[in-house]
Amino acid sequence: MAKGKAPAIPEQQVIDQPFNDLLSERYLSYALSTIMSRSLPDVRDGLKPVHRRLMFAMNELKLNPNQAPKKSARVVGDVIGKYHPHGDVAVYDAMVRMAQDFAQRYPLVDGQGNFGNIDGDNAAAMRYTEARLTQVALMLLDGLEENAVDFRPNYDGSEEEPIVLPGGFPNLLANGSSGIAVGMATNIPPHNVAELCEAMELMLESDKDVPIKDLVKIIKGPDFPTGGILVSDKKDILEAYETGKGTFRMRARWKKEELKRDQYQIVVTEIPYQVQKSKLIEKIAELINNKKIPMLDDVRDESAEDIRLVLMPKSRNIEPELLMESLYRNTDLETRFALNMNVLDNGLVPKVMNLKDVLQAWLNHQQEVLVRRSTHRLEKVKHRIEVLDGYLIAYLNLDEVIHIIRTEDEPKPKLMKKFKLTDVQAEAILNMRLRSLRKLEEFEIKGEHKELSNERDELEKLIKSEARQWSKIKKQIADIKKMFGPETALGKRRTKMDKAPSITIAAELDEALIEREPVTVIMSDKGWVRAMKGHGLNPADFKYKDGDRGMFVLEAQSTDKLILFGTNGRFYTVNCDKLPPGRGFGEPIRLMIDLPNDADTAAVLLFQPDRKIIVAATDGRGFIAPSNDVLAQTKVGKQVLGVDGKTEAKVARYVEENDDHIAVTGNGKMLIFKLDQVPEMSKGKGVKLIAAKEGGLSDVKTFHWKSGLTFQNATGVHKVTDAKGWLGERAQAGKLPPNGFPKNKKFD
């Protein structure tokens, strides 16, 4: 074939537009399509388009709970052929998830056959499985034939599909949803329907605006189909529901089973949501083989229909709580579920809603559905009443009506004119069967007419009165609450609430995993730190770099935690077993923590749980902080004392249990006042302890008045015999310190 020139492109097909603009327009179209037609659920029915089309197609196939199921392939074929032109695998996967009782809190599809399991095994091919709708699904579909929602043409215009389902079940929060769109995502956990209904009843009953904190007292948190234990702090749960974003901390449920000879085993009966049991067991086995969990000897899977993972400890002396805490840290026996209630508001606008907004959106949708269904029913009732009025006229004038029908070629206009009938009434009379002309039928028509007239009046009142509408919706919610109440198998709460383990248990776990031995922590003035084995070492034997000197020396255990207080007001945590050995000069502390270059170490303490620490800055401000609140989990530390460019953090000391007074030195003076004048806070700037100028505060010490105030100078420890001379109120200037007080104005 001879080569020829490429055909010329007509001018009308050439787009003269910058490539960036073209790319932006097309990418925006793709993004909007992904957000609205694929990834984000509608807040009204809680469904994405694929799930909505699946349920609509199954409804069209009459796959009700009381009917025999049909092959899943038939359902998927109808969905992709009529409404959802995507791959059959994706549609079938969506259908499978709707049938899995470990994935859906209230399944929408009743699956027959292999629909997968919690181990992560896939479902059987769609040609082998069968499916039908559940009762919950029928509640979502109820009203489709009554003009409850709008319909739109399908992708090729040959069929019609609903834009949204009537949604007579709070599906979004009940079953949750997850999806990733372009530039946004959604992740909503399942909840207990009875709690949702009770919360909405409170919203409807209250005349005032109900705060979310009152709703959270009812809706305690997610209710996952796999159960488990929710150990998130109540403040975190409230904040998540108030903002629509947050994290829920989930743990597996376990119990201790006693064996012979004082032995025991741990049995895990519930695992966190969306965790595959097979992968969880593989992870535990891997940790055992790699000796990452020295307390655990073996793991066995004895699961049948229920989950039963058996964990065998190496010794009966091991505390089961410590063993489980170790597994929580290293496996998916503890997970975090990220809440992101990003939904489509009225099917159009993506929006992050809080708990109350989601509940109110569902209530508003139910009101709209109720009005539309009532209006549709009212039209049907009025039409039937009109027909019955015509029948009654015909019965009253039966002979004349029959005569007109027999003698007239066009009886309809004659009847309408003679008896003042409407077109509908005349047509109904002409279509009346002869068998309906018996006398009994007249009484039945009058009875039906009376009933429909009463129904018409009630419907008209309902449509006009918003109060009646909310009363009707409240009754609907009460019925749902009764159907899925806590006494029912499906409605009973599965996820229990519990407190997170105390920091003491975490500390005990660290000790259990680390060989406990005495160490001496040495830190130089330049920030070089090391840990030498043993206690009672001679400080004269410690060596430092040229120009450096000792700053802190602490005797500790290898299982202890070191907390460093920076001049920037942050606390940093370092495990003593992670400190470099005592040979040489150690390593810079800045390699272990993210201490800024413009900050230094103000104090070094050994962490002691459930204690109190007094912190103070150079401007004389300070407060008492719980020791548990200063423990940092990351290298960046934890901001506790608020400082600015003019002030620095200066002091951090433990407060003894019996201490009742506090001594402060600053600007060359000393002040003593009662300790209860200093507030207890988790973080902040604190209050003025002494009237010190910028950089004036030197030291702070708490003491018990009966024991007396002591300080240490070059000659030894001295006690202030009469401390009343310095006794005053907080924030005063103080007086000159006693004779012999150290020149650096520090107590030791």
Side-chain angles (χ1 to χ4, degrees), residues 413-425:
K414 186 70 175 178
L415 288 172
M416 293 175 64
K417 183 178 181 181
K418 178 69 177 177
F419 302 107
K420 298 181 180 179
L421 300 174
T422 64
D423 184 81
V424 172
Q425 291 171 332

PDB file of all heavy atoms in Angstrom, residues 413-425:
ATOM      1  N   PRO A 413     -70.295  11.811  27.164  1.00  0.00           N
ATOM      2  CA  PRO A 413     -70.664  13.230  27.286  1.00  0.00           C
ATOM      3  C   PRO A 413     -72.069  13.422  27.860  1.00  0.00           C
ATOM      4  O   PRO A 413     -72.315  14.367  28.627  1.00  0.00           O
ATOM      5  CB  PRO A 413     -70.577  13.741  25.848  1.00  0.00           C
ATOM      6  CG  PRO A 413     -69.703  12.764  25.141  1.00  0.00           C
ATOM      7  CD  PRO A 413     -69.966  11.454  25.786  1.00  0.00           C
ATOM      8  N   LYS A 414     -72.993  12.509  27.490  1.00  0.00           N
ATOM      9  CA  LYS A 414     -74.362  12.617  27.969  1.00  0.00           C
ATOM     10  C   LYS A 414     -74.425  12.442  29.484  1.00  0.00           C
ATOM     11  O   LYS A 414     -75.119  13.190  30.188  1.00  0.00           O
ATOM     12  CB  LYS A 414     -75.217  11.553  27.272  1.00  0.00           C
ATOM     13  CG  LYS A 414     -76.699  11.644  27.570  1.00  0.00           C
ATOM     14  CD  LYS A 414     -77.339  12.852  26.931  1.00  0.00           C
ATOM     15  CE  LYS A 414     -78.858  12.855  27.157  1.00  0.00           C
ATOM     16  NZ  LYS A 414     -79.498  14.049  26.570  1.00  0.00           N
ATOM     17  N   LEU A 415     -73.665  11.434  29.985  1.00  0.00           N
ATOM     18  CA  LEU A 415     -73.638  11.200  31.434  1.00  0.00           C
ATOM     19  C   LEU A 415     -73.038  12.392  32.166  1.00  0.00           C
ATOM     20  O   LEU A 415     -73.528  12.809  33.229  1.00  0.00           O
ATOM     21  CB  LEU A 415     -72.829   9.933  31.743  1.00  0.00           C
ATOM     22  CG  LEU A 415     -73.481   8.596  31.373  1.00  0.00           C
ATOM     23  CD1 LEU A 415     -72.476   7.461  31.548  1.00  0.00           C
ATOM     24  CD2 LEU A 415     -74.722   8.352  32.234  1.00  0.00           C
ATOM     25  N   MET A 416     -71.950  12.939  31.621  1.00  0.00           N
ATOM     26  CA  MET A 416     -71.282  14.062  32.269  1.00  0.00           C
ATOM     27  C   MET A 416     -72.209  15.271  32.349  1.00  0.00           C
ATOM     28  O   MET A 416     -72.220  15.992  33.355  1.00  0.00           O
ATOM     29  CB  MET A 416     -69.996  14.411  31.518  1.00  0.00           C
ATOM     30  CG  MET A 416     -68.923  13.336  31.591  1.00  0.00           C
ATOM     31  SD  MET A 416     -67.462  13.703  30.572  1.00  0.00           S
ATOM     32  CE  MET A 416     -66.875  15.189  31.402  1.00  0.00           C
ATOM     33  N   LYS A 417     -72.962  15.480  31.301  1.00  0.00           N
ATOM     34  CA  LYS A 417     -73.854  16.640  31.274  1.00  0.00           C
ATOM     35  C   LYS A 417     -75.076  16.432  32.159  1.00  0.00           C
ATOM     36  O   LYS A 417     -75.503  17.337  32.877  1.00  0.00           O
ATOM     37  CB  LYS A 417     -74.283  16.908  29.834  1.00  0.00           C
ATOM     38  CG  LYS A 417     -75.170  18.137  29.685  1.00  0.00           C
ATOM     39  CD  LYS A 417     -75.519  18.394  28.224  1.00  0.00           C
ATOM     40  CE  LYS A 417     -76.384  19.633  28.081  1.00  0.00           C
ATOM     41  NZ  LYS A 417     -76.755  19.877  26.660  1.00  0.00           N
ATOM     42  N   LYS A 418     -75.630  15.221  32.105  1.00  0.00           N
ATOM     43  CA  LYS A 418     -76.863  14.929  32.822  1.00  0.00           C
ATOM     44  C   LYS A 418     -76.660  14.966  34.333  1.00  0.00           C
ATOM     45  O   LYS A 418     -77.465  15.564  35.077  1.00  0.00           O
ATOM     46  CB  LYS A 418     -77.386  13.553  32.392  1.00  0.00           C
ATOM     47  CG  LYS A 418     -78.648  13.108  33.106  1.00  0.00           C
ATOM     48  CD  LYS A 418     -79.851  13.933  32.719  1.00  0.00           C
ATOM     49  CE  LYS A 418     -81.120  13.406  33.391  1.00  0.00           C
ATOM     50  NZ  LYS A 418     -82.300  14.253  33.077  1.00  0.00           N
ATOM     51  N   PHE A 419     -75.588  14.319  34.781  1.00  0.00           N
ATOM     52  CA  PHE A 419     -75.387  14.167  36.235  1.00  0.00           C
ATOM     53  C   PHE A 419     -74.225  15.006  36.772  1.00  0.00           C
ATOM     54  O   PHE A 419     -73.807  14.834  37.916  1.00  0.00           O
ATOM     55  CB  PHE A 419     -75.132  12.690  36.572  1.00  0.00           C
ATOM     56  CG  PHE A 419     -76.250  11.784  36.144  1.00  0.00           C
ATOM     57  CD1 PHE A 419     -76.092  10.945  35.059  1.00  0.00           C
ATOM     58  CD2 PHE A 419     -77.466  11.797  36.813  1.00  0.00           C
ATOM     59  CE1 PHE A 419     -77.118  10.102  34.661  1.00  0.00           C
ATOM     60  CE2 PHE A 419     -78.491  10.957  36.413  1.00  0.00           C
ATOM     61  CZ  PHE A 419     -78.327  10.106  35.321  1.00  0.00           C
ATOM     62  N   LYS A 420     -73.699  15.894  35.927  1.00  0.00           N
ATOM     63  CA  LYS A 420     -72.576  16.770  36.313  1.00  0.00           C
ATOM     64  C   LYS A 420     -71.368  15.966  36.834  1.00  0.00           C
ATOM     65  O   LYS A 420     -70.822  16.222  37.899  1.00  0.00           O
ATOM     66  CB  LYS A 420     -73.025  17.790  37.360  1.00  0.00           C
ATOM     67  CG  LYS A 420     -74.111  18.725  36.870  1.00  0.00           C
ATOM     68  CD  LYS A 420     -74.510  19.730  37.933  1.00  0.00           C
ATOM     69  CE  LYS A 420     -75.610  20.662  37.418  1.00  0.00           C
ATOM     70  NZ  LYS A 420     -76.038  21.654  38.445  1.00  0.00           N
ATOM     71  N   LEU A 421     -71.019  14.977  36.055  1.00  0.00           N
ATOM     72  CA  LEU A 421     -69.886  14.115  36.407  1.00  0.00           C
ATOM     73  C   LEU A 421     -68.596  14.667  35.822  1.00  0.00           C
ATOM     74  O   LEU A 421     -68.599  15.371  34.810  1.00  0.00           O
ATOM     75  CB  LEU A 421     -70.117  12.691  35.872  1.00  0.00           C
ATOM     76  CG  LEU A 421     -71.362  11.955  36.370  1.00  0.00           C
ATOM     77  CD1 LEU A 421     -71.502  10.629  35.637  1.00  0.00           C
ATOM     78  CD2 LEU A 421     -71.290  11.738  37.873  1.00  0.00           C
ATOM     79  N   THR A 422     -67.500  14.293  36.452  1.00  0.00           N
ATOM     80  CA  THR A 422     -66.184  14.607  35.876  1.00  0.00           C
ATOM     81  C   THR A 422     -65.816  13.532  34.872  1.00  0.00           C
ATOM     82  O   THR A 422     -66.461  12.468  34.801  1.00  0.00           O
ATOM     83  CB  THR A 422     -65.107  14.669  36.971  1.00  0.00           C
ATOM     84  OG1 THR A 422     -64.969  13.371  37.572  1.00  0.00           O
ATOM     85  CG2 THR A 422     -65.465  15.694  38.035  1.00  0.00           C
ATOM     86  N   ASP A 423     -64.791  13.805  34.111  1.00  0.00           N
ATOM     87  CA  ASP A 423     -64.342  12.828  33.124  1.00  0.00           C
ATOM     88  C   ASP A 423     -63.929  11.523  33.806  1.00  0.00           C
ATOM     89  O   ASP A 423     -64.210  10.436  33.302  1.00  0.00           O
ATOM     90  CB  ASP A 423     -63.162  13.405  32.339  1.00  0.00           C
ATOM     91  CG  ASP A 423     -62.699  12.476  31.238  1.00  0.00           C
ATOM     92  OD1 ASP A 423     -63.321  12.471  30.172  1.00  0.00           O
ATOM     93  OD2 ASP A 423     -61.690  11.736  31.466  1.00  0.00           O
ATOM     94  N   VAL A 424     -63.265  11.631  34.948  1.00  0.00           N
ATOM     95  CA  VAL A 424     -62.825  10.437  35.687  1.00  0.00           C
ATOM     96  C   VAL A 424     -64.024   9.630  36.157  1.00  0.00           C
ATOM     97  O   VAL A 424     -64.048   8.389  36.043  1.00  0.00           O
ATOM     98  CB  VAL A 424     -61.948  10.852  36.887  1.00  0.00           C
ATOM     99  CG1 VAL A 424     -61.636   9.649  37.779  1.00  0.00           C
ATOM    100  CG2 VAL A 424     -60.666  11.493  36.400  1.00  0.00           C
ATOM    101  N   GLN A 425     -65.061  10.320  36.670  1.00  0.00           N
ATOM    102  CA  GLN A 425     -66.232   9.620  37.174  1.00  0.00           C
ATOM    103  C   GLN A 425     -67.005   8.938  36.051  1.00  0.00           C
ATOM    104  O   GLN A 425     -67.441   7.790  36.191  1.00  0.00           O
ATOM    105  CB  GLN A 425     -67.141  10.601  37.920  1.00  0.00           C
ATOM    106  CG  GLN A 425     -66.554  11.109  39.224  1.00  0.00           C
ATOM    107  CD  GLN A 425     -67.375  12.228  39.834  1.00  0.00           C
ATOM    108  OE1 GLN A 425     -68.058  12.976  39.115  1.00  0.00           O
ATOM    109  NE2 GLN A 425     -67.302  12.375  41.163  1.00  0.00           N
TER     110      GLN A 425
END
